[in-house]
Amino acid sequence: MTQTSDTVTWLTQEAYDQLKAELDHLSGPARVEIAKKIEQAREEGDLKENAGYHAAKEEQGKMEARVRQLTQLLESAQVGEAPADTGVVAPGMVVTIAFDGDPDDTMTFLLASREFATSDIETYSPQSPLGSGVKGKKVGDEAEYTLPNGNVARVKVLEAKPYQAA
């Protein structure tokens, strides 16, 4: 199956393994545990006024949504090393931009899936307005993207380097 770069999520092997372990837990032991909670709450009687039952069903719904999210993410994941240091903005790159070409108004972020977000650097999805605006641009290129309020922002790509985990 051929995937476009818009649907591929770049992940390190470590990040993939963590997400796969979470999926395995949620779709295995966690499912059994929540089913037991629901059954125990059901045995307590009237379901209309059974807070434990409703809480367990809500927890089950959230867990199943996470299972679907992880399954979809892992199916579209590209596992491997960071992209080559070509100066072209792509998922897995740390990007520095200047707003409206002002070299003093800059921001640096990692272009990657939110699942890959780390505490050491802000992360923007390649599908976000900013991410899709700069993706494919080279150092020195200018890009535009639409803000949530409908205004258009202009940025200049100052740097694009492969992400190196700390």
Side-chain angles (χ1 to χ4, degrees):
M1 174 170 82
T2 305
Q3 295 175 326
T4 65
S5 60
D6 286 346
T7 61
V8 172
T9 300
W10 175 83
L11 295 173
T12 63
Q13 186 64 54
E14 178 184 22
Y16 180 90
D17 291 345
Q18 284 179 322
L19 294 172
K20 180 74 170 99
E22 181 184 354
L23 176 61
D24 290 346
H25 173 74
L26 290 176
S27 58
R31 267 191 182 143
V32 172
E33 185 180 311
I34 195 70
K36 285 180 183 173
K37 280 184 187 177
I38 291 170
E39 187 56 36
Q40 287 170 347
R42 191 177 277 144
E43 290 172 1
E44 292 173 10
D46 185 8
L47 297 182
K48 285 187 218 170
E49 297 179 14
N50 188 329
Y53 173 79
H54 294 290
K57 289 296 282 183
E58 185 175 328
E59 183 181 345
Q60 181 186 41
K62 288 179 183 177
M63 188 177 74
E64 292 302 323
R66 180 67 175 157
V67 165
R68 286 190 301 277
Q69 178 188 29
L70 287 171
T71 300
Q72 183 178 22
L73 176 73
L74 293 174
E75 285 174 353
S76 67
Q78 178 178 336
V79 180
E81 296 302 312
D85 190 357
T86 60
V88 176
V89 178
M93 303 289 278
V94 175
V95 182
T96 302
I97 57 170
F99 291 95
D100 289 323
D102 180 352
D104 295 327
D105 187 9
T106 64
M107 177 174 76
T108 300
F109 61 93
L110 171 63
L111 186 64
S113 164
R114 286 291 201 202
E115 297 297 332
F116 191 68
T118 66
S119 60
D120 63 331
I121 187 166
E122 192 162 358
T123 303
Y124 282 83
S125 163
Q127 291 80 28
S128 69
L130 174 58
S132 60
V134 298
K135 190 170 51 181
K137 300 293 185 191
K138 296 181 185 111
V139 172
D141 284 354
E142 293 191 2
E144 291 184 350
Y145 64 99
T146 304
L147 299 167
N149 65 7
N151 292 338
V152 174
R154 290 173 183 74
V155 297
K156 182 175 185 175
V157 178
L158 301 180
E159 186 175 54
K161 296 280 184 193
Y163 175 75
Q164 301 294 321

